Amino acid sequence: EQPHPDERLNLHTDAVACQTCHIPNIALKDPTKVSWDWSTAGEDRGDDHFTYLKIKGSFVYERNYTPVYQWFNGNLSYRYLLGDPIDPSQPTYINTPAGDISDPTAKIFPFKLHVAKQPYDTVNNILLQPRTGGEGGFWTTFDWLSALTLGAQDTGLNFSGQYGFTETRMYWPTTHMVQSGGNALQCDACHSDNGRLDWIALGYPGDPMEWGGR
């Protein structure tokens, strides 16, 4: 809790996770997948590992990815389970980190936010799990209706036979690619007009350097 010789830095450890400053970016060498669109799967575009695969759809990879930041107490406040209802007009969060500014056990933590388009039942408003491999699987037939019908049999979901694709989002806690102090974030990375932290979204009235901490 008091790892720095500079007391100003140690004041941060009550509300800021070590990873936040010491993992300024991820995927420094090899790119990481940040978007996956299943709705384009099955098309004859030619396969390219980093942009498109017929069996899986379209991807976006990024190198030197800047994390997004949320309060996090080490738990999840929600995780999606098959059969949970969704609102297809809004992104469906597969998981959400637990914690907020009023939670004394939570700290500001870096995440990769993975965005996807996944199949869902447009009548029952639930995400659908297709059968991909094996007999009749999508990777053989490239037939979404058939693969989703078989997937519903496999999972026990009630499938209306009507489907579409909806946006989903998932938070991945970032704990790899820790940097030494010399490469960690410096003060102006957060405490500046163009800083990477959205103080209002985190629950502060403004930059705590001016307004004070929690």
Side-chain angles (χ1 to χ4, degrees):
E1 295 299 311
Q2 302 290 316
H4 308 100
D6 188 332
E7 184 58 28
R8 292 172 299 176
L9 297 180
N10 287 334
L11 288 173
H12 287 69
T13 62
D14 282 343
V16 181
C18 300
Q19 291 92 327
T20 297
C21 294
H22 285 275
I23 309 178
N25 295 86
I26 65 173
L28 302 182
K29 179 181 178 183
D30 297 318
T32 186
K33 186 186 295 179
V34 297
S35 177
W36 182 345
D37 183 353
W38 275 97
S39 70
T40 62
E43 300 175 5
D44 290 314
R45 300 186 180 187
D47 286 351
D48 173 357
H49 176 75
F50 288 108
T51 58
Y52 184 79
L53 289 173
K54 184 175 181 178
I55 64 171
K56 294 185 177 181
S58 306
F59 315 117
V60 174
Y61 280 77
E62 286 189 21
R63 184 182 282 110
N64 205 33
Y65 175 88
T66 300
V68 299
Y69 299 94
Q70 299 278 348
W71 290 102
F72 187 43
N73 63 18
N75 299 301
L76 296 176
S77 62
Y78 172 78
R79 64 188 181 100
Y80 185 86
L81 298 177
L82 279 176
D84 285 350
I86 67 167
D87 177 358
S89 69
Q90 304 288 332
T92 296
Y93 283 85
I94 302 300
N95 64 354
T96 50
D100 56 37
I101 194 171
S102 64
D103 180 350
T105 68
K107 297 185 179 185
I108 298 170
F109 200 92
F111 293 86
K112 181 178 88 168
L113 181 61
H114 184 279
V115 180
K117 270 192 176 179
Q118 298 191 133
Y120 80 103
D121 187 315
T122 58
V123 175
N124 295 318
N125 285 333
I126 56 174
L127 294 180
L128 294 170
Q129 179 175 307
R131 182 187 291 181
T132 50
E135 183 177 356
F138 182 77
W139 294 343
T140 301
T141 66
F142 298 108
D143 183 328
W144 274 118
L145 180 58
S146 171
L148 293 171
T149 300
L150 293 172
Q153 294 175 14
D154 296 338
T155 57
L157 292 176
N158 180 26
F159 176 39
S160 70
Q162 304 295 316
Y163 70 93
F165 291 84
T166 188
E167 182 176 315
T168 63
R169 299 180 182 181
M170 180 183 240
Y171 286 100
W172 294 51
T174 299
T175 58
H176 291 94
M177 305 195 122
V178 175
Q179 302 294 309
S180 62
N183 294 324
L185 293 181
Q186 301 302 304
C187 301
D188 61 357
C190 301
H191 301 289
S192 65
D193 291 340
N194 297 313
R196 61 174 62 196
L197 294 186
D198 184 338
W199 299 114
I200 302 300
L202 289 168
Y204 291 95
D207 188 336
M209 191 166 68
E210 300 178 17
W211 291 85
R214 59 175 179 173

